[in-house]
Amino acid sequence: MPELPEIVALEQFLAEHAVGAVVGRIDVAALSVLKTFDPPVTALSGRDVTGVGHWGKHLGLDCDGLWLITHLSRAGWLRWIDEPGAAPPKPGKGPLALRVHLFTPEGATPAFDLTEAGTKKRLAVWIVADPLSVPSIARLGPDAMAVSETEFAELLHGTSQRVKNALTDQTVLAGIGNAYSDEILHTAKLSPFANASTLDAEQLARLFSAMRATLSDAIERSVGEDAARLKAEKRSGMRVHGRTGETCPVCGDTVREVAYADKSFQYCPTCQTGGKILADRRMSRLLK
Ligand SMILES: [Zn+2]
């Protein structure tokens, strides 16, 4: 799933490639992605692309006062196409959800696709005049890269969730998902199961600087990359996330995971939990 660094990179990519173009035809291949109906998606056609924006993990294209906003969700992505075919894609076939054709001032006719792999369809698109009218944007906490250390401490102390859940709760802090929260907690040497409200000042300071460093490193690596290369770039920077059974690059211990029905997270026992192996509910069930 794209998180803040990939969304910022996609936003920059669209700023360079789409801003200044005129919106052409929009092909809707999966009607279920459209969460708004008035104005219709056709209202974008003929408008100039004047800007871009992001709100947490939402990405937006400003079409002269009318926004196309998307939340790519877990399996969604943006794909840029220099020369799309003229024929509209067949609805309901393959990962394509929505294609936006563009006319550039140089006379090129590229397009971008919003795609979603897998069978769980969660990618969402809104056409709105005011981004804050998107309910999931209105509920967002402050942007993870915009909060001050004081504000960050207050936000975490205001929730009694486990720190892993607090970091990924978009109403607390916007932009961090499962992957970067694993990396941030590993860098901060904190257990994912620690209670956010009882972290002391020194732990909070460590967590804040780990968050800033992890996200800004990832943004630096991602911005300027082609949309197509971003996923590989994200994975290559991960030290523990998605690396169950591999060696922790800091201490040499084996990276462990806690798995749930539909997701899992990773951590290093030596670096983060004083060597303690966290209960993996899936494993415990299998061993019963
Ligand atoms: Zn380690």
Side-chain angles (χ1 to χ4, degrees):
M1 156 183 235
E3 300 177 32
L4 189 61
E6 293 77 43
I7 291 295
V8 169
L10 288 173
E11 182 188 11
Q12 292 286 328
F13 183 89
L14 288 176
E16 282 165 32
H17 291 80
V19 170
V22 175
V23 179
R25 200 181 71 216
I26 296 180
D27 300 321
V28 181
L31 199 58
S32 59
V33 303
L34 289 175
K35 303 306 171 195
T36 52
F37 303 96
D38 183 23
V41 72
T42 48
L44 294 170
S45 299
R47 285 174 173 260
D48 291 335
V49 180
T50 50
V52 291
H54 80 269
W55 306 265
K57 296 185 252 179
H58 301 70
L59 179 65
L61 203 60
D62 185 357
C63 304
D64 203 12
L66 194 57
W67 286 87
L68 169 80
I69 295 177
T70 185
H71 188 281
L72 294 168
S73 194
R74 263 171 90 172
W77 204 251
L78 185 146
R79 182 171 63 186
W80 184 263
I81 308 169
D82 284 324
E83 290 175 8
K90 289 199 177 69
K93 290 252 178 358
L96 180 66
L98 190 88
R99 174 171 294 170
V100 178
H101 294 269
L102 298 166
F103 299 99
T104 74
E106 295 79 26
T109 54
F112 67 85
D113 286 354
L114 301 179
T115 64
E116 187 173 32
T119 50
K120 281 190 181 155
K121 299 301 182 190
R122 294 190 184 133
L123 187 146
V125 172
W126 299 265
I127 312 294
V128 290
D130 177 8
L132 282 174
S133 65
V134 174
S136 52
I137 291 182
R139 284 194 300 268
L140 289 176
D143 189 282
M145 282 303 281
V147 284
S148 69
E149 190 165 350
T150 313
E151 200 179 355
F152 178 75
E154 281 167 6
L155 289 167
L156 288 202
H157 272 168
T159 170
S160 55
Q161 301 181 80
R162 286 169 166 172
V163 63
K164 167 79 182 175
N165 296 340
L167 286 177
T168 53
D169 181 343
Q170 301 302 298
T171 66
V172 174
L173 204 58
I176 299 172
N178 193 31
Y180 287 108
S181 58
D182 278 357
E183 296 301 306
I184 291 165
L185 289 166
H186 179 253
T187 302
K189 297 193 187 299
L190 286 174
S191 167
F193 284 175
N195 189 312
S197 63
T198 57
L199 293 176
D200 64 28
E202 194 265 332
Q203 290 172 318
L204 280 169
R206 230 159 61 210
L207 187 59
F208 180 74
S209 74
M211 176 182 77
R212 297 282 311 185
T214 302
L215 295 179
S216 53
D217 281 1
I219 289 170
E220 203 171 299
R221 277 202 318 275
S222 305
V223 169
E225 285 289 350
D226 259 15
R229 273 202 37 79
L230 277 172
K231 268 191 222 179
E233 191 56 49
K234 178 182 178 186
R235 159 127 186 105
S236 73
M238 297 285 156
R239 304 195 301 177
V240 287
H241 183 75
R243 302 206 179 274
T244 307
E246 294 182 33
T247 303
C248 169
V250 173
C251 73
D253 193 0
T254 302
V255 173
R256 301 274 180 164
E257 81 172 356
V258 175
Y260 298 93
D262 62 342
K263 63 175 176 185
S264 62
F265 70 80
Q266 285 78 29
Y267 67 100
C268 167
T270 297
C271 290
Q272 295 177 257
T273 59
K276 184 172 175 275
I277 310 289
L278 300 175
D280 182 335
R281 291 168 58 204
R282 185 188 56 176
M283 283 306 293
S284 326
R285 255 204 313 279
L286 289 174
L287 293 171
K288 259 179 201 159

